[in-house]
Amino acid sequence: MPRNFPLDKCRNIGIIAHIDAGKTTTTERILFYTGRTYRIGSVDDGTTVTDWMAQERERGITIVSAAVTAEWKGYQINVIDTPGHIDFTAEVQRSLRVLDGGVVIFDAVQGVEPQSETVWRQADRYLVPRICFVNKMDRTGASFERTIESIRSRLGANPVPMQLPIGEESGFRGVIDLLTMQATVWDDELGKEPIVSEIPANLQAAAEDARNVMVEKIAEFDDALIMKFLEGHTISVDELKTTLRKAVIENKATPVFAGSSLKNKGVQPVLDAVIDYLPSPLEIPPARGYAPDDPDTILERPVDDNGPLAALVFKIVADPYVGRLAYFRVYSGKVVQGETVYNPAKGRRERIGRMVRMYADRREDITEVYAGDIGAVLGFKESFTGDTLTDAKDPIVLESITFPEPVISIAVEPKTTADQDRMAEALRRLAEEDPTFKVHTDESTAQTIISGMGELHLDIIVDRMMREFRVQANVGRPRVSYRETISRPVPEINYKYAKQSGGHGQYGHVVFSMEPLERGNGVKFENKIIGGSIPKEYIPAVEKGVKEAAESGIIAGYPVTDILVRLTDGSYHEVDSSEMAFKMASIFAFKEGMQRGGPTLLEPVMKVEVVVPEEYLGDIIGQLNARRGEIQGMEIRPGNAQAVRALIPLAEMFGYTTDLRSATQGRGVHTMEFDHYASVPESVKAKVTNS
């Protein structure tokens, strides 16, 4: 089956933003104006295409990223609508890993918000070119200029305003296109018939000034254009577009547009900008990876339908009716129904069964997915998020996707014996779907503990478990996921594990050094054995023992992190040594090293932003200080409001929403995201170890 669209006419984009900036509302308009839907869905009414889960429609928020495909002016646009809530940041991260471009939406009243910064940094990490859409221009307090300034100052970006708003706040009617110097006004209720006309006389001077600024900013990216500009020559629209496109793809500039998605104003120019400035799969660098048997050998896979297969599984959906659905992005080659692909991470082959193109929760059967495109396949047994699909004859392992560790836990117990097996199966499938959701059994209490990124995250998991998998369960109170580490180096731990019980014995001898690492480094193992005092075949067993011992610390049984274990020496016995003996030796040596290294407890510290009317500012600062908060700064927001930024331990944030509402008569709001782990005070440590 041939391609529907040539590669240069394909765009893979994500809609990313802070919660409630208007991502889903904008996506609805994109689907409507491109003819994919015949009515505009509403987030408030629960009738949107991409917010299809019952939990999304009830809460009015996006929880899982949804993929839809639309056509605009002869181009195919694959759109992924991502969540804005920090608890579901993994959905944004894995979407950005496989996308070629992004549309970042900002609230024209609030400007850059905390989650705006987070998604921007994620896009920076994956070098995703972006355009910006300043939404909600019709709201009281909206400011195009102030939002652009916050993009420049808080994100360190290089915004290039491409439009000038016509009217302010409730009087917002349309925009002036600074490239063509024409006005576009949306007067009809659905916004389908934009009226293009001359610039209003009262805005002519402002538009000319804004255009000069725009032309100068674009010309700076091209030596020939800047000379033209300085010499006073006219620069054509095509020259400006070509230069800006190149700058956007190189992440040197970000075009900015204005509108109001809810009022159906300004969305069509954003679609034009997706085509004009965001890259096709042909314009992104080749996919990079390494040879499965030699991680030091870097391989590249340019976009080519006839090249060797290189595809990345970036999302798993556990559907109670059709089973596991794996979303994948093809970078090179093509995936064909009925053929077999190779997963080098698992060393297994997977048969390509039924393939579909997703339209939110609806499926359209397809038989081939070409390079540069996104598809989904049913029935994979071994392949999960971050795995590579490749040719067995010419394999490659693409860079996987890393996710943050969970910071909050709750205990769940099935209500009946019949629920026991159903709960285990439901949690297994939900954990396969969500890499930031973890399940384990507490050995001391035999309870099932589920961990995630926040209270809302775990609420949704439990809700899905009860609704989709029909499991009845009791839920415990939220608990903080503490970590343990050491506070000082331990130069040498010398441990000999020797057992004799008739026949062959067990002998393993290891010499370690241990030292604390900077926060966020996890557990690292280095083999510094010289001269073969421990045979090579036993080294993996030593590392496995270290990693296993690090799963449970010595203070309160929490996982150990930020520690370097260096294997420096040891000895073995030709008959009695075994992998198990060396694993046990390393476990006991690790525990001894923890005891001698000044063990300390770490707690997750959250980056919190509270926005309140100015009259409540004093009370709110008092509240934050009482919760061991460290005030980082304050800034004035529109409408006589103040935004307070602080770092606060997660343990102190339970129940804060209720306290904030009570203190501000329901007018205060706050956002929270994980920032780092820090040592807990002795008073808190005593409470944790005694609880």
Side-chain angles (χ1 to χ4, degrees):
M1 190 175 75
R3 277 184 175 278
N4 293 329
F5 291 84
L7 261 176
D8 63 335
K9 291 188 177 291
C10 293
R11 301 288 183 271
N12 295 311
I13 66 162
I15 311 291
I16 56 177
H18 184 89
I19 190 169
D20 204 31
K23 295 178 299 301
T24 302
T25 303
T26 302
T27 306
E28 271 306 306
R29 272 65 186 171
I30 288 173
L31 296 176
F32 180 69
Y33 296 133
T34 56
R36 282 309 304 255
T37 57
Y38 298 99
R39 63 175 181 80
I40 298 175
S42 164
V43 172
D44 294 333
D45 296 339
T47 55
T48 60
V49 171
T50 52
D51 281 358
W52 53 269
M53 286 174 62
Q55 293 86 350
E56 294 177 312
R57 292 183 167 177
E58 288 169 2
R59 291 168 169 82
I61 61 170
T62 302
I63 293 169
V64 296
S65 53
V68 290
T69 301
E71 183 184 339
W72 181 251
K73 296 183 177 179
Y75 286 75
Q76 175 180 294
I77 305 177
N78 295 321
V79 182
I80 295 185
D81 176 28
T82 65
H85 198 287
I86 187 62
D87 283 14
F88 310 108
T89 187
E91 288 286 319
V92 186
Q93 200 151 319
R94 59 183 168 190
S95 298
L96 287 171
R97 170 67 180 84
V98 298
L99 291 171
D100 302 330
V103 178
V104 190
I105 299 180
F106 297 93
D107 183 325
V109 179
Q110 301 297 337
V112 174
E113 298 176 90
Q115 184 67 356
S116 311
E117 290 189 55
T118 302
V119 298
W120 192 274
R121 304 291 173 233
Q122 287 172 327
D124 280 344
R125 179 182 174 192
Y126 293 117
L127 302 175
V128 177
R130 281 145 276 175
I131 62 176
C132 296
F133 179 52
V134 180
N135 191 25
K136 303 190 179 184
M137 286 296 301
D138 60 309
R139 287 182 58 197
T140 302
S143 170
F144 188 58
E145 294 77 15
R146 188 179 62 245
T147 302
I148 288 171
E149 182 50 41
S150 69
I151 292 171
R152 183 180 292 111
S153 60
R154 291 188 63 174
L155 301 178
N158 183 18
V160 181
M162 305 300 292
Q163 296 173 335
L164 200 64
I166 299 174
E168 296 178 343
E169 300 178 345
S170 59
F172 174 72
R173 296 174 54 238
V175 295
I176 294 168
D177 186 329
L178 298 178
L179 275 175
T180 61
M181 289 300 277
Q182 289 183 311
T184 304
V185 175
W186 287 266
D187 279 340
D188 65 307
E189 188 177 331
L190 294 176
K192 285 191 79 170
E193 306 294 337
I195 301 166
V196 180
S197 62
E198 297 294 316
I199 297 172
N202 64 322
L203 292 173
Q204 187 72 42
E208 287 174 3
D209 290 344
R211 189 179 199 279
N212 285 335
V213 171
M214 179 200 73
V215 171
E216 183 177 5
K217 284 180 79 76
I218 296 173
E220 287 174 354
F221 300 114
D222 186 282
D223 292 342
L225 283 197
I226 196 67
M227 289 305 297
K228 258 183 145 178
F229 177 80
L230 294 173
E231 290 168 3
H233 298 306
T234 301
I235 301 174
S236 71
V237 170
D238 285 345
E239 286 177 308
L240 290 170
K241 278 188 171 182
T242 302
T243 303
L244 181 57
R245 178 183 182 79
K246 186 170 181 289
V248 170
I249 292 172
E250 292 174 354
N251 276 296
K252 293 178 180 176
T254 313
V256 186
F257 300 84
S260 170
S261 295
L262 188 63
K263 297 298 172 65
N264 307 318
K265 294 175 170 64
V267 176
Q268 293 97 328
V270 174
L271 280 167
D272 290 338
V274 166
I275 291 168
D276 289 340
Y277 306 118
L278 292 181
S280 73
L282 290 170
E283 294 167 298
I284 61 169
R288 286 169 61 87
Y290 60 86
D293 53 354
D294 183 9
D296 294 328
T297 301
I298 303 301
L299 305 174
E300 289 191 344
R301 291 283 190 268
V303 177
D304 180 3
D305 291 342
N306 299 314
L309 177 64
L312 185 74
V313 177
F314 68 93
K315 179 179 167 73
I316 298 290
V317 174
D319 190 306
Y321 304 106
V322 298
R324 187 185 302 135
L325 187 67
Y327 286 70
F328 59 89
R329 160 75 190 263
V330 181
Y331 289 94
S332 171
K334 59 186 174 185
V335 177
V336 181
Q337 187 173 355
E339 293 189 352
T340 300
V341 297
Y342 179 61
N343 179 342
K346 304 291 194 310
R348 297 292 184 89
R349 295 174 185 270
E350 294 270 23
R351 186 179 178 279
I352 302 297
R354 181 186 172 196
M355 280 201 302
V356 293
R357 187 183 302 284
M358 296 302 297
Y359 183 68
D361 60 332
R362 300 200 290 277
R363 305 174 189 91
E364 171 192 327
D365 282 300
I366 53 177
T367 56
E368 293 177 308
V369 179
Y370 295 91
D373 210 349
I374 291 170
V377 63
L378 288 156
F380 272 179
K381 299 285 192 297
E382 303 285 345
S383 301
F384 297 100
T385 300
D387 284 351
T388 300
L389 306 177
T390 184
D391 288 332
K393 294 177 184 174
D394 193 358
I396 184 174
V397 179
L398 299 174
E399 179 196 350
S400 191
I401 312 170
T402 55
F403 297 102
E405 286 296 310
V407 295
I408 187 171
S409 305
I410 56 174
V412 290
E413 293 179 346
K415 284 188 176 179
T416 67
T417 308
D419 288 314
Q420 180 84 46
D421 292 340
R422 282 206 301 268
M423 187 177 88
E425 174 65 10
L427 293 178
R428 181 186 67 78
R429 290 173 69 171
L430 290 168
E432 288 175 357
E433 181 177 317
D434 185 349
T436 58
F437 170 60
K438 307 287 187 194
V439 184
H440 75 277
T441 302
D442 187 322
E443 292 180 6
S444 59
T445 63
Q447 286 181 306
T448 299
I449 307 296
I450 61 174
S451 305
M453 300 306 296
E455 290 182 82
L456 179 61
H457 186 198
L458 294 182
D459 278 350
I460 298 295
I461 291 286
V462 171
D463 192 27
R464 288 188 62 192
M465 182 178 75
M466 292 178 173
R467 287 196 202 193
E468 294 176 25
F469 298 93
R470 305 187 184 285
V471 176
Q472 295 302 310
N474 296 314
V475 181
R477 293 182 59 194
R479 303 189 307 184
V480 176
S481 291
Y482 293 96
R483 295 286 185 270
E484 298 183 25
T485 190
I486 56 175
S487 56
R488 59 176 179 263
V490 184
E492 183 178 293
I493 308 113
N494 192 325
Y495 193 91
K496 192 176 289 184
Y497 179 80
K499 296 275 186 185
Q500 194 69 45
S501 55
H504 284 316
Q506 293 286 339
Y507 181 90
H509 174 212
V510 295
V511 180
F512 284 167
S513 69
M514 292 170 67
E515 60 186 73
L517 293 173
E518 291 287 320
R519 297 288 168 259
N521 276 289
V523 177
K524 294 191 175 177
F525 174 82
E526 287 184 3
N527 174 24
K528 294 295 183 183
I529 294 282
I530 299 172
S533 55
I534 297 178
K536 282 184 180 178
E537 61 264 28
Y538 295 136
I539 302 299
V542 175
E543 182 174 2
K544 189 175 179 183
V546 167
K547 296 291 173 69
E548 197 171 297
E551 291 174 5
S552 176
I554 63 169
I555 300 174
Y558 289 103
V560 177
T561 189
D562 302 336
I563 195 167
L564 171 65
V565 177
R566 194 176 279 118
L567 177 63
T568 55
D569 203 358
S571 64
Y572 72 103
H573 188 280
E574 288 189 358
V575 176
D576 291 347
S577 284
S578 65
E579 289 186 1
M580 178 56 73
F582 274 101
K583 179 182 164 186
M584 295 306 296
S586 63
I587 288 173
F588 286 117
F590 186 90
K591 297 290 186 189
E592 183 182 321
M594 285 290 295
Q595 293 278 10
R596 290 164 50 193
T600 185
L601 198 64
L602 303 175
E603 63 181 347
V605 177
M606 313 303 283
K607 185 164 62 176
V608 179
E609 181 172 281
V610 186
V611 181
V612 294
E614 195 165 13
E615 59 263 35
Y616 300 111
L617 185 62
D619 292 342
I620 293 310
I621 289 176
Q623 267 189 0
L624 298 180
N625 286 331
R627 291 173 180 265
R628 295 196 282 134
E630 181 185 321
I631 306 296
Q632 299 288 295
M634 289 180 277
E635 66 180 52
I636 298 170
R637 289 284 174 88
N640 195 35
Q642 288 274 359
V644 183
R645 293 193 304 278
L647 294 174
I648 307 176
L650 174 61
E652 304 292 338
M653 290 303 293
F654 294 137
Y656 182 63
T657 301
T658 304
D659 289 354
L660 177 62
R661 286 175 182 159
S662 300
T664 61
Q665 298 180 356
R667 296 165 67 192
V669 294
H670 82 286
T671 56
M672 176 174 78
E673 64 178 289
F674 172 73
D675 191 74
H676 66 281
Y677 272 94
S679 297
V680 302
E682 283 300 318
S683 57
V684 176
K685 182 178 174 182
K687 283 183 189 174
V688 173
T689 51
N690 292 332
S691 61

